[in-house]
Amino acid sequence: SLLTMDGEEEDEQVIAEEVEAMKSVYENDCTILNSIPPHFHLSLKPRIADVSSHQFVEIVLEVHATPQYPKEPPSVAIVDCKGLDQHRQKHLLNHIQTKANELSPGLMLVALCEEAVEKLSDMNHPDGDCPLCLFPLVTEEHQSETLPFMKLMSCFHCFHSECIIRWWNWLESSKQTGSSKSDNATARRNRGMCNCKVAFDDRHV
């Protein structure tokens, strides 16, 4: 019984040291909710995110281990994100969870989070359709070209540059003419672009 207790205490010490390593690697980006078993939130950006104009994705990853860790892998979830739709969130989570299963059994917290950063870096590009015109942001034949789009810093939603300029010009002209649509336009603008289905009334594109 004493041997078992000593073994458990030794395991807990190793896990506590691993959590400390996590905190030293990620510093303020890591919020420890529980040390043993490990449970934390980690704010992750792609490797290129030191240049904000080149950042299109960002997540807060939740890593939650059971008392059986490190014999069994922790579970992962996304508690907040920018720039990833449901499909891409699921793809990212599946990748991270698969990696956790591959690394199990064993200590893996830093390695798992680094894997998440690598995958997020691979996914660091605008995806889907422009919310204004509903056409793809990036067409397959223009993947390698500089893209004429704008990104909202608050939510990372992207729009074709031409679409956002037309939308803004339409808003301004609505205000100046005092049309009946101007109240709707102003309300839409004040509500913030984050709703992102800020389609032009009657498809003004």
Side-chain angles (χ1 to χ4, degrees), residues 11-193:
D11 286 346
E12 287 190 358
Q13 179 63 30
V14 171
I15 294 170
E17 289 172 0
E18 186 186 23
V19 172
E20 282 301 314
M22 280 287 307
K23 289 164 70 175
S24 66
V25 170
Y26 295 102
E27 299 180 333
N28 294 335
D29 290 330
C30 184
T31 303
I32 305 296
L33 303 176
N34 193 53
S35 289
I36 300 173
H39 183 198
F40 57 90
H41 288 173
L42 189 63
S43 177
L44 295 176
K45 298 177 181 179
R47 296 242 180 257
I48 199 152
D50 53 335
V51 182
S52 62
S53 61
H54 294 171
Q55 181 187 354
F56 301 102
V57 292
E58 182 176 315
I59 66 168
V60 176
L61 184 70
E62 179 178 23
V63 179
H64 196 177
T66 70
Q68 281 68 49
Y69 179 80
K71 294 181 177 68
E72 67 177 35
S75 62
V76 294
I78 293 175
V79 295
D80 194 17
C81 80
K82 293 181 180 180
L84 295 173
D85 61 15
Q86 291 293 328
H87 176 74
R88 294 217 295 166
Q89 287 182 49
K90 185 176 181 181
H91 176 70
L92 177 60
L93 277 180
N94 285 344
H95 178 86
I96 300 169
Q97 194 67 63
T98 298
K99 187 65 176 182
N101 296 340
E102 290 173 1
L103 293 171
S104 182
L107 301 171
M108 68 175 75
L109 298 183
V110 173
L112 189 62
C113 293
E114 284 301 292
E115 183 71 22
V117 173
E118 289 298 328
K119 186 62 176 176
L120 194 65
S121 298
D122 290 342
M123 299 174 74
N124 185 40
H125 55 82
D127 195 45
D129 299 332
C130 170
L132 292 171
C133 71
L134 305 182
F135 284 100
L137 283 165
V138 186
T139 57
E140 290 184 15
E141 62 269 23
H142 295 102
Q143 286 283 357
S144 61
E145 294 182 10
T146 302
L147 306 175
F149 59 81
M150 296 181 181
K151 180 187 73 173
L152 299 183
M153 293 305 296
S154 59
C155 59
F156 291 6
H157 287 127
C158 295
F159 301 79
H160 293 124
S161 297
E162 186 178 351
C163 292
I164 203 81
I165 290 168
R166 287 183 182 181
W167 178 80
W168 185 255
N169 288 339
W170 175 76
L171 273 186
E172 292 303 302
S173 65
S174 294
K175 279 172 55 183
Q176 291 169 9
T177 58
S179 70
S180 60
K181 293 179 181 177
S182 65
D183 289 341
N184 290 336
T186 303
R188 191 178 292 113
R189 182 180 57 187
N190 291 341
R191 200 167 57 225
M193 297 282 291

